[in-house]
Amino acid sequence: MTAESTAEQAQQELLDEFEMFDNWMDRYQYIIDMGKQLPAFPEEWKVEELKIQGCQSNVWMHHRRDGETLHFDAVSDAAIVSGLIAVLMRIYNDRRPADIRATSPHFMRDLGLDKHLSPTRSNGLNAMLERIYRVADEEAAA
């Protein structure tokens, strides 16, 4: 991903990558592998106020303003959820709040995640997405 790529371009790149896989087992493995590449998450950030509610597994998300953009760090204790975090980071990390809000998460439907994730995983993915959007709203208003 180049620094100039938009969130929409990042979604399209992700969709193109997933077209390489013929079945959902390979797609799940790719998502898990993406999660293994997440940056380290400091232990001191694993606090209740950074925990995402609505996830079956433990998920923590930290953010900071970096000039015009928002930078997110997140981690989970579940491999597939870590991969879903990596997907969200590819699309929404290091973007301006307005760009985050303007980017519909159509990748969920286009990749088939809405059909292939368990209801609890889908709820967790939606909870993470809601946190990203809420932070973008708060930072845009600040």
Side-chain angles (χ1 to χ4, degrees):
M1 183 177 84
T2 64
E4 299 82 41
S5 95
T6 66
E8 199 54 53
Q9 287 168 327
Q11 281 195 86
Q12 190 54 54
E13 290 167 9
L14 196 67
L15 293 171
D16 292 345
E17 287 173 27
F18 273 82
E19 284 182 12
M20 297 184 307
F21 303 108
D22 297 330
N23 62 61
W24 264 95
M25 290 311 295
D26 290 343
R27 287 180 175 199
Y28 280 130
Q29 188 57 54
Y30 188 65
I31 291 170
I32 289 168
D33 290 344
M34 286 175 67
K36 291 177 183 174
Q37 297 171 29
L38 286 173
F41 192 87
E43 284 297 317
E44 61 265 21
W45 289 352
K46 292 182 180 178
V47 293
E48 195 60 33
E49 59 265 21
L50 297 180
K51 197 169 185 181
I52 304 269
Q53 301 305 316
C55 292
Q56 178 182 10
S57 52
N58 290 313
V59 177
W60 295 270
M61 186 179 291
H62 176 271
H63 75 277
R64 71 177 185 276
R65 187 100 190 205
D66 193 7
E68 294 275 311
T69 63
L70 294 174
H71 180 81
F72 293 91
D73 289 289
V75 70
S76 174
D77 57 4
I80 190 72
V81 177
S82 291
L84 295 173
I85 290 168
V87 168
L88 291 174
M89 295 300 110
R90 283 255 316 255
I91 297 167
Y92 295 102
N93 202 20
D94 298 322
R95 310 268 183 220
R96 293 190 320 261
D99 296 336
I100 291 170
R101 290 301 306 168
T103 303
S104 162
H106 63 79
F107 72 91
M108 293 167 60
R109 180 191 65 246
D110 296 348
L111 288 177
L113 290 174
D114 55 345
K115 292 182 178 67
H116 288 91
L117 289 177
S118 68
T120 54
R121 295 284 186 240
S122 289
N123 289 344
L125 180 58
N126 284 314
M128 290 186 284
L129 197 54
E130 285 172 20
R131 169 79 61 93
I132 290 169
Y133 283 147
R134 188 177 76 243
V135 166
D137 283 343
E138 291 168 358
E139 291 292 332

